[in-house]
Amino acid sequence: MEQKQGFFRSIGRDNCYIVANLFYAYFAQGVAVIMLGAVLPALKADYALNYQVGGMLLSVQSIGYAISGLGAGFLPLYFGLKNSFIGMTSGLAIGMGMLLISGNPVWLLIAMALIGINKGSVTNYNNQIISDLAKGNAGPLNLLHAFFAIGACLAPVVVLLCGKADPTGWRLAVLIAAVVGALGLLAMTRMKLDNTRSVGKSKEKKVPVSYGFFREKIFWVTMLIGFFYQAIEGVMMGWLTSFFVDSGVMTNDFAQVVTSTLWISLLVGRLGCSGLAARFRPYQMILVMAGGQLLFLYALVHSHSFAAMMAATIGLGLSMSGMYGTTVSNAGDLFARYPVCMGFFVLMTSMGAVIAPAIVGIVADAAGMRTGLASVLLAAAALVIMAVYNLLSVRKRAHAAVSAAS
């Protein structure tokens, strides 16, 4: 608590207002992104969409996320940080609103792309600005990501309550998410983002851009770990509620509760991983979490009772919770040595979240939702293989260093 108080006291009133908006933007993103998976069964039924189109909607959201990762870096050079932030994050309110207007697949794909652009821009700008202000303090970043998890926990509950209030409750839920996004945009207009811009950017532009990270094995190992994890996360975000409903084990109401349980587990796990990171190395944590994801995903796919699905979901959430941050840490000082490395890392790993949901949709159309979700076990198995390879590589480097020293 003292670290958080020290952080807010040290940055001044204007920056406190900026940080509050960043927290709210992540909260709104958590509400909207997880709500999309929660309302997908009802939206699919209302607009007479098949699983394949549903998978494409989830994948194009990830494409928008990847595109915004590239655009977020250079747009502030031309339009300023504040204008770029507001412009790119407006996709949440616009995209959610578009979902209510028409069931035309092309229209829906554009809407989902805009929501994905919002997701990518919020992720990029939020982490960049908080990192600049925090000056190495990990506490504010952990708190920032917790707000996404809070919104994610609430989203299925909102869908559940709206469904009880109205037979077409998914529309009311999406409208609420659009309003939440629009309110955030209004609040952002008062931000003084000049306080958070990096000084000396003109000097940085004179430094030649290096792509040497492509020649380092640690980049490819870390990127593949992130790729397979993003495949699992993308499927869980988009298809989990549909899996619960279509399994016939639980009603739509229970499915929303269990989906919310996943994000409560993620929130608890992220807080726990902050403490574990001080005691264990990234390669150790990655191996344990990768093994947990394979185990609990297998259990989820083969569960046929409410209790078993609930237990598997909680285990899966805990196993996924610290994976992304720990994967970034696994790269060591790679991102510091190569400033453009993070953009490529985000772009390449996010392809997992583009490809996997679409594959699940195609398989589900042909063989059912349970088989569709089971296809993600291939990504989970590949994740374990990469985690083991990463562990062996670290030990090999350590042994070589000891031999060279002696």
Side-chain angles (χ1 to χ4, degrees):
M1 180 62 74
E2 290 179 3
Q3 283 186 339
K4 293 171 188 173
Q5 289 177 344
F7 168 71
F8 286 107
R9 287 175 180 171
S10 67
I11 62 177
R13 179 177 296 179
D14 288 340
N15 282 332
C16 279
Y17 182 78
I18 292 172
V19 170
N21 276 271
L22 301 184
F23 286 175
Y24 182 87
Y26 244 148
F27 168 79
Q29 184 189 108
V31 170
V33 171
I34 306 308
M35 182 177 288
L36 292 174
V39 303
L40 186 58
L43 183 148
K44 193 159 62 69
D46 221 12
Y47 289 145
L49 307 175
N50 59 23
Y51 283 118
Q52 185 172 349
V53 174
M56 290 173 61
L57 292 178
L58 298 175
S59 292
V60 81
Q61 180 192 155
S62 296
I63 293 173
Y65 173 85
I67 292 173
S68 68
L70 295 176
F74 68 84
L75 284 178
L77 299 176
Y78 300 96
F79 303 104
L81 182 56
K82 179 177 177 179
N83 291 335
S84 300
F85 194 3
I86 293 176
M88 295 185 74
T89 55
S90 64
L92 177 63
I94 296 172
M96 296 301 279
M98 288 175 65
L99 295 179
L100 301 172
I101 297 175
S102 171
N104 181 281
V106 176
W107 178 266
L108 294 176
L109 288 171
I110 294 172
M112 294 294 277
L114 289 173
I115 295 169
I117 289 173
N118 164 83
K119 180 183 175 184
S121 58
V122 167
T123 300
N124 277 272
Y125 290 133
N126 276 15
N127 286 283
Q128 171 195 329
I129 295 169
I130 292 291
S131 295
D132 289 344
L133 291 174
K135 295 179 173 59
N137 182 1
L141 273 172
N142 288 330
L143 184 60
L144 173 70
H145 286 274
F147 271 84
F148 177 91
I150 293 170
C153 292
L154 290 176
V157 177
V158 172
V159 175
L160 176 61
L161 294 176
C162 289
K164 290 185 176 299
D166 192 314
T168 58
W170 74 269
R171 292 181 175 275
L172 178 59
V174 169
L175 178 60
I176 289 173
V179 172
V180 168
L183 291 176
L185 290 176
L186 292 175
M188 286 178 192
T189 60
R190 294 174 54 84
M191 293 191 301
K192 297 180 180 179
L193 269 179
D194 286 345
N195 293 329
T196 64
R197 287 183 180 175
S198 303
V199 287
K201 277 191 174 179
S202 59
K203 294 180 182 179
E204 290 178 6
K205 284 162 52 178
K206 297 177 184 178
V207 178
V209 176
S210 175
Y211 298 95
F213 58 89
F214 282 124
R215 296 190 296 271
E216 298 201 25
K217 185 168 70 173
I218 188 64
F219 170 77
W220 292 103
V221 173
T222 304
M223 185 278 294
L224 286 172
I225 291 172
F227 174 87
F228 291 121
Y229 168 69
Q230 290 272 40
I232 297 170
E233 184 188 71
V235 170
M236 290 302 106
M237 281 188 175
W239 282 120
L240 189 61
T241 303
S242 294
F243 169 74
F244 288 145
V245 173
D246 295 351
S247 67
V249 175
M250 61 188 78
T251 64
N252 185 65
D253 289 354
F254 269 122
Q256 303 298 349
V257 172
V258 177
T259 302
S260 187
T261 300
L262 173 70
W263 284 98
I264 293 172
S265 302
L266 279 163
L267 177 59
V268 172
R270 283 173 179 171
L271 296 176
C273 283
S274 298
L276 292 173
R279 300 179 57 188
F280 299 97
R281 305 298 298 166
Y283 62 87
Q284 295 171 321
M285 295 179 65
I286 286 173
L287 181 58
V288 173
M289 288 187 287
Q293 288 173 63
L294 178 59
L295 173 65
F296 289 112
L297 184 58
Y298 180 87
L300 180 63
V301 169
H302 292 84
S303 295
H304 294 276
S305 69
F306 176 78
M309 282 187 172
M310 178 69 82
T313 300
I314 293 173
L316 187 59
L318 292 174
S319 301
M320 292 170 58
S321 59
M323 193 69 184
Y324 191 84
T326 307
T327 300
V328 172
S329 298
N330 186 72
D333 64 347
L334 191 70
F335 298 119
R337 288 188 288 118
Y338 301 100
V340 299
C341 182
M342 179 58 81
F344 283 93
F345 177 79
V346 170
L347 175 64
M348 296 167 76
T349 56
S350 64
M351 289 299 103
V354 172
I355 298 169
I359 292 176
V360 170
I362 293 171
V363 174
D365 260 339
M369 191 66 234
R370 188 174 291 273
T371 305
L373 194 69
S375 65
V376 190
L377 286 169
L378 295 174
L383 179 61
V384 172
I385 292 172
M386 290 309 305
V388 172
Y389 182 79
N390 182 56
L391 173 67
L392 296 176
S393 297
V394 171
R395 288 183 173 177
K396 184 178 179 180
R397 289 196 302 269
H399 179 72
V402 171
S403 298
S406 60

